[in-house]
Amino acid sequence: MAASDPTGGRPVDPSRGALRPLGLAEARITAGFWADRQRVISEGSLDHARAWMDKVGWTGNFMIGAATGPAEHRGREFADSEVYKLIEAMSWETGRNNDPARKREIDELVALIGGAQEKDGYLNTAYGRPGQAPRWSDLEWGHELYCAGHLLQAAVADTRVHGPGPLLEIARRTADHICETFGADGSTGICGHPEIEPALVELYRVTGERRYLEQARLFVERRGHQTLAPHQFGWSYFSDDIPVRAATVLRGHAVRALYLACGVVDVAVETGDDELLTAVKNQFDRTLARRTYLTGGMGSRHMDEAFSDDFVLPSDRAYSESCASVAAVMLAWRLLLATGDARYADVIERILYNVVATAIEDDGRAFFYAHSLHQRTPTRALPDDEEQLGFGGGPRAPWFEVSCCLPNVSRLLASLSTYLAVADDEGLRIMQYADATVDTRLADGRRVALETTTAYPHDGDVTIRITATDGGEWPLTLRVPAWADGATVTVGGVPEPVTGTLTLRRAFAAGDEIRLHLPMAPRFTSPDPRIDAVRGCVAVERGPVVYCAESPVGEPLGDLDLLRVDPGRASADGDEGVEVWGGLAAATDATWPYDEPVGDDPPLGLIRLLPYHRWARRGPATMRVWLPTVQSPRARSTDG
């Protein structure tokens, strides 16, 4: 590439597939729900993350220089990767919102990183220096290839937004060293934490250097042969138990499994390996059907941050790591682009509104690492300068000993406009609804532009207005979410019912409007009876948003473990809330918690639920998503 990408850059840029993604210059979020969260990242999270990385020494690790030492390495062995993810987030942010000061910050960090690179291209601050373990000496836990992968992805983002520069050269030297070390004639090792695979493919897409794609393919084919050392969590933890083509479901450490699957899709797409693509598609589909929380969260075991067996989805021990949700969006997006199947956009929507939107505090300076669906004891407020040493749950914290989630969510939100719309062989498809503008060219070169206005997800009315077109007939496709029973579309003043994907093919003119109505009545959701943990419960959803009951310490609702609801009534309360008919059962002082007779239903009244993404924002609180039902539901209208 001789210059920055004229589309403004996009995180994934496949050379083939059913759909073409748009870049930051082609799709922009202008207001509303996601614009607010992008502002929080821009004005809060990026500076907050940089300040903490300086404070705890992660950026300082690069100041030592490759040839000097001995030196004490600060942070965990993968601390380098957090700096790289921060640079990636900053790069997408400068592409979205041109900020010369932020660009100077990127350049300063790049210079710092470049000074730590060895002459042969190796770059890692935790290995290879005097007093440190030798490079590539701990493939299971060392994260060297993992860190390199995030370096490459940062370089791809920087290059697509700003054009080739020093970071791309650093990344190419690193990738060349990896190819020399782990190529067909080198070590047959793989990394305990997948990530290098999708990164190498994106670097190939930027540079055209075929050896990077071939190295990614080698890493994918080597995976699953139990070559990494065994340990207490088993080879599945590393996704090294079963070859990729033979696996039937995602398993083991959730983030590892999802990052690997992203790399597999990328390799399959670029090499034309449809068998490989089908394999990972089937694995993800089974994972969605059996191992995914209502929120879209993935990973139900704390001890190894892992997927559990089918239908083992405990609410109070949900791990559902923020990073796993980012990775799941990355995977669903790749599968959407490759297959054109709009249901993957439904998956993305669910994860965005119910995990990603939940993760970050309103000021951008605290975040969830894990996402419980049932908080039995109140969360606690943490001072702005307190680091949470554990990383398996707890409140939104300013910082964690492992703080991968904040820069990870930041890089997704900074580039979020690229997930709104896609182009196909003939026209344009709208995949996510937000106040936004789209201005691009169709496959035949004709320009089309439109704007969408909506109060989504609070309101289900979406207006799409054509603002420019070069004329002629072309198709505009709108995704109708699977939950949107009773959706209508209005073109020319007459509402018509619509289900599934809607395609309008016509010679649009500037000023034409399409109005999509997605009903937003609250609905009760019942779990698959094989999910033992929530049998006998219901959840409430409204549009794409999952709701919860919350009992803040300052405004207590009561003991939510005693809550019972009647699944015959729910209504919107005019704000973001939903009201259900329910009450708190009487507590008992029994000396033995079994064989107690079932008590009478509690007196019922209106109980206000709030969006799950709003919980724990009013101070310490308890919370639950899945609500036990009363013994004898009353027959009541569901429309309130």
Side-chain angles (χ1 to χ4, degrees), residues 138-160:
D138 186 3
L139 291 177
E140 288 78 18
W141 301 103
H143 289 75
E144 289 163 276
L145 286 168
Y146 168 83
C147 289
H150 281 300
L151 169 65
L152 270 52
Q153 287 186 315
V156 166
D158 181 59
T159 302
R160 286 178 175 159

Side-chain angles (χ1 to χ4, degrees), residues 548-588:
C548 67
E550 183 190 50
S551 183
V553 170
E555 306 172 41
L557 176 62
D559 184 354
L560 295 183
D561 286 345
L562 299 174
L563 181 62
R564 305 289 184 270
V565 301
D566 179 350
R569 176 178 176 177
S571 60
D573 70 357
D575 195 0
E576 280 192 306
V578 163
E579 292 176 333
V580 296
W581 202 251
L584 299 177
T588 67

